Amino acid sequence: MLSGVKAGLVSADVLRREQQELKRHERSNKRLEEESRHTETIFRDKSGRKRDLAQERLEQKQKAEAKSERDEQYAKWGKGLAQGRQQQQNVEDAIKEMQKPLARYIDDQDLDRMLREQEREGDPMADFIKKRKAKENKEKKEKPRYNGPAPPLNRFNIWPGHRWDGVDRSNGFEQQRFARIANKKAVQELAYKWSVEDM
């Protein structure tokens, strides 16, 4: 039988011996059960070596932290650094304005500066101030610009560099593109005029 005892007609002696054998076997198994109850499970990898689960968890945590830090950096770059700085500046300005009293008096320096910076139509001093600002900006070093004859048009309206000698070395793609666009527009206009001619 599955339990290990004999099947069929059995004498009492054989039955007693089998029960004693089963009890002895259970006692030896109980000792093994007690020993194995408090032991830790050993995990092994495919090659049979023991795995250090605590070390693996620590490594996974470090990898996750590095990945989250990198993702945060990319998200910051994706939004745009200048836009982030501008948003931060706007928040600081708003907090600064909220801390001011609601009523503004004539000696408020921020209000005075803001009103001075506004340009009004018909202001006789506006031209003088614009010229003075232009002169100050001119004193700052500017990048040189191309000053020759008008360059051929391109798709992106990019002005040539200041060292360009005026020779068009393109393969003619830009001119062909503009010609195709103009031709398409002319055909559409002609088709429209033809369709409404007899009305």
Side-chain angles (χ1 to χ4, degrees):
M1 291 190 354
L2 290 175
S3 62
V5 293
K6 291 186 179 176
L9 193 57
V10 182
S11 69
D13 275 347
V14 174
L15 247 164
R16 211 173 298 116
R17 255 186 282 124
E18 285 178 349
Q19 284 179 348
Q20 288 172 353
E21 185 72 31
L22 280 171
K23 283 181 184 176
R24 196 170 353 105
H25 189 66
E26 280 179 17
R27 269 188 244 121
S28 65
N29 281 350
K30 274 202 178 184
R31 187 179 55 81
L32 287 174
E33 263 182 47
E34 288 297 322
E35 286 177 7
S36 64
R37 181 171 289 148
H38 303 294
T39 59
E40 288 185 28
T41 306
I42 297 173
F43 294 95
R44 298 183 182 272
D45 59 7
K46 290 180 181 177
S47 61
R49 289 180 296 187
K50 288 183 181 178
R51 290 172 51 190
D52 187 4
L53 295 179
Q55 182 68 25
E56 286 179 15
R57 277 192 217 101
L58 183 67
E59 287 173 5
Q60 284 179 349
K61 187 177 178 183
Q62 289 173 347
K63 282 181 185 176
E65 285 175 0
K67 186 178 185 303
S68 68
E69 192 175 304
R70 191 173 58 245
D71 290 346
E72 184 178 315
Q73 188 74 24
Y74 279 125
K76 186 177 175 184
W77 288 343
K79 286 182 183 175
L81 298 176
Q83 288 83 353
R85 283 193 293 268
Q86 182 64 41
Q87 187 176 13
Q88 182 67 25
Q89 183 66 36
N90 291 345
V91 169
E92 288 172 7
D93 290 344
I95 290 172
K96 192 169 127 183
E97 289 297 323
M98 283 190 284
Q99 290 173 348
K100 292 182 182 177
L102 185 61
R104 286 187 158 186
Y105 298 102
I106 198 149
D107 61 343
D108 189 359
Q109 292 175 353
D110 290 336
L111 178 63
D112 185 47
R113 189 179 328 108
M114 184 190 71
L115 292 174
R116 284 175 189 262
E117 288 174 357
Q118 285 180 358
E119 290 186 13
R120 294 176 188 81
E121 194 174 332
D123 187 1
M125 286 295 286
D127 291 334
F128 175 72
I129 293 171
K130 278 183 188 176
K131 286 178 186 174
R132 192 172 71 189
K133 283 185 180 177
K135 189 176 182 183
E136 287 174 4
N137 289 341
K138 218 176 223 183
E139 288 174 3
K140 293 178 185 174
K141 190 169 183 175
E142 277 188 26
K143 290 184 178 180
R145 288 194 52 155
Y146 171 71
N147 290 328
L153 291 174
N154 59 36
R155 287 177 285 172
F156 309 109
N157 293 326
I158 298 173
W159 202 253
H162 71 281
R163 291 192 176 95
W164 187 53
D165 59 357
V167 179
D168 185 11
R169 294 180 177 85
S170 70
N171 60 4
F173 174 77
E174 300 281 340
Q175 286 76 18
Q176 290 174 1
R177 183 176 180 277
F178 286 127
R180 278 196 307 270
I181 291 171
N183 190 16
K184 189 175 181 181
K185 195 171 185 181
V187 166
Q188 284 178 345
E189 193 174 318
L190 192 64
Y192 174 73
K193 285 182 181 176
W194 183 81
S195 68
V196 297
E197 184 178 20
D198 55 334
M199 287 190 173

